[in-house]
Amino acid sequence: MSSTTPAPDPAVPADVRVGVIGVGQMGADHVRRISERIKGARVAVVTDYFRDKAQEIAGAVPGCRVVDSPEELIGAEDVDAVLIASPGQFHRDQAVACIDARKPVLCEKPLAMNPEDAYEVVRAEAAAVAETGTPYVSLGFMRRFDREYAELRDAIAAGELGRISLLNLKHRNAHTLPGFVDTMMVYDSAVHEVDAISYFLDEQVTGVQVLLPVAGPRAEEGQHDPMLILFRTASGVIVTDELYVNTAAGYEVRTEAVGSAGIATIGLEHGRVTTHLEGGRWGGSIPADFRPRFIDAYDAEVQAWIAAIREGANVAERSATAWDGYLAAAVCQAGEQALSTEGFVPVSTQPRP
Ligand code: ISE
């Protein structure tokens, strides 16, 4: 430190040094978010399977360095907390490694690509909590931080809509990455609706049925797109979830809650509507993908995570937890089985440790 650089003020806690595993579409967005908008944190280390990409992302962040592996990042002295944004099949091992290193971790959904792996994370955290009293895992179900989701949940909880009979959900992407087959549509896309059902209704999904309509014009090999998933909850609510991941139009996520006293709809994000002065048309635009559509929810989720770490608060009280991730994986497993089964497939779960 030069003689002209003021000494750090001991009264102001240093920034949380975040290590980001995976700097593809989602991870790079989180690096920008932490670097530009999140208070009290900075990205200190990144790693990615594609080192060139990691170098490119780190190069835009002052003081950020690249390491060769998730293990090296998790063990790094200059990493206080870890954000996992790698592909879902790596999340179990990386989350368990963070728990073993006693470092708080925000793991992007899904927690794992099957309930057995997700349950391993739950068990590892339970053992760590028994020793330290501290939960370590926050799960990236960011829709819980969406303003409209929170408002709808409060309205349902307050009884404003009466007794809920149906939720009609729509989850539309403009396109998906190559290889995004049916099981990915369930574990990586529908997983958001699975968590949203518990979030809105405060109860668990007990059965799943999948209906495969006529394929859309852009369904890829191994993909039934669109797909209709039916969920049944413990109290008998039926949820319809239209998954359409190659619309080519844009990103639309909608919820309609049908109750005995009212019907509420969120996700009708129109933004600016323009009347075109020629051709007698009017219209607006559709977000390209989840990053612009849920930017505020992602920001709120990551800021809540960093604030909990800086305050020494219980991160599990500020976000979805490893247990929420396990329950979602168990429902997704029933959904995966329902892809090739007629009727509802029951959801089975392990006891909570
Ligand atoms: C992606 O991983 C996300 O989490 C998006 O929110 C979801 O809409 C998309 O389908 C997933 O692939």
Side-chain angles (χ1 to χ4, degrees):
M1 182 179 297
S2 73
S3 58
T4 57
T5 308
D9 177 348
V12 176
D15 282 348
V16 174
R17 297 168 300 176
V18 179
V20 179
I21 301 175
V23 286
Q25 197 180 38
M26 187 76 259
D29 197 50
H30 281 314
V31 170
R32 266 191 305 279
R33 166 174 296 104
I34 295 169
S35 305
E36 297 170 5
R37 299 192 295 275
I38 299 301
K39 294 181 178 58
R42 67 181 180 86
V43 179
V45 186
V46 298
T47 190
D48 192 279
Y49 178 79
F50 299 102
R51 188 174 174 90
D52 291 352
K53 181 67 177 170
Q55 294 284 16
E56 173 203 331
I57 297 297
V61 179
C64 181
R65 70 188 181 96
V66 175
V67 295
D68 291 330
S69 71
E71 294 75 16
E72 188 179 351
L73 181 144
I74 293 165
E77 288 296 312
D78 55 340
V79 169
D80 304 313
V82 180
L83 195 159
I84 299 174
S86 51
Q89 61 264 36
F90 304 117
H91 289 184
R92 180 201 67 175
D93 291 349
Q94 292 165 6
V96 169
C98 292
I99 294 166
D100 291 346
R102 301 294 187 262
K103 292 190 179 179
V105 51
L106 173 56
C107 182
E108 268 296 341
K109 39 55 61 183
L111 180 57
M113 297 303 284
N114 62 67
E116 293 75 21
D117 284 357
Y119 198 66
E120 281 308 305
V121 180
V122 170
R123 284 161 49 100
E125 186 181 50
V129 169
E131 183 189 309
T132 66
T134 307
Y136 294 90
V137 181
S138 301
L139 203 66
F141 286 127
M142 85 297 174
R143 293 187 188 176
R144 294 176 175 220
F145 293 84
D146 178 73
R147 178 181 44 79
E148 286 193 313
Y149 268 63
E151 201 278 332
L152 177 56
R153 172 194 163 115
D154 292 347
I156 292 172
E160 188 185 324
L161 303 181
R163 177 176 166 70
I164 302 295
S165 297
L166 284 171
L167 294 180
N168 296 313
L169 313 180
K170 312 265 187 259
H171 183 166
R172 297 176 182 145
N173 292 187
H175 54 81
T176 50
L177 300 173
F180 202 83
V181 295
D182 285 353
T183 48
M184 287 294 286
M185 290 175 69
V186 174
Y187 278 98
D188 196 61
S189 299
V191 70
H192 281 294
E193 280 78 40
V194 172
D195 182 68
I197 294 166
S198 301
Y199 176 71
F200 286 133
L201 302 178
D202 196 21
E203 63 171 318
Q204 292 310 313
V205 170
T206 56
V208 187
Q209 179 172 359
V210 175
L211 301 175
L212 302 174
V214 172
R218 286 167 297 279
E220 299 200 8
E221 186 63 33
Q223 198 178 62
H224 286 85
D225 189 45
M227 177 186 289
L228 185 67
I229 304 179
L230 303 181
F231 299 99
R232 182 162 52 206
T233 72
S235 71
V237 175
I238 293 294
V239 180
T240 66
D241 185 11
E242 176 213 311
L243 266 189
Y244 193 176
V245 296
N246 282 291
T247 67
Y251 192 78
E252 296 179 298
V253 169
R254 297 201 180 128
T255 302
E256 181 184 66
V258 179
S260 57
I263 298 175
T265 301
I266 61 171
L268 293 175
E269 289 271 322
H270 287 305
R272 174 170 56 87
V273 176
T274 302
T275 298
H276 302 285
L277 299 185
E278 291 191 7
R281 292 179 303 109
W282 61 273
S285 61
I286 305 175
D289 61 50
F290 48 91
R291 294 166 298 176
R293 167 63 187 80
F294 285 110
I295 184 169
D296 294 337
Y298 281 118
D299 286 3
E301 175 189 55
V302 174
Q303 188 64 74
W305 178 57
I306 293 298
I309 294 169
R310 287 170 61 90
E311 295 159 18
N314 179 349
V315 291
E317 290 171 357
R318 306 282 184 94
S319 72
T321 64
W323 182 246
D324 297 313
Y326 163 70
L327 291 177
V331 172
C332 287
Q333 184 177 58
E336 181 182 10
Q337 292 162 357
L339 284 168
S340 54
T341 313
E342 289 297 320
F344 275 91
V345 174
V347 176
S348 62
T349 57
Q350 299 278 354
R352 186 167 190 172

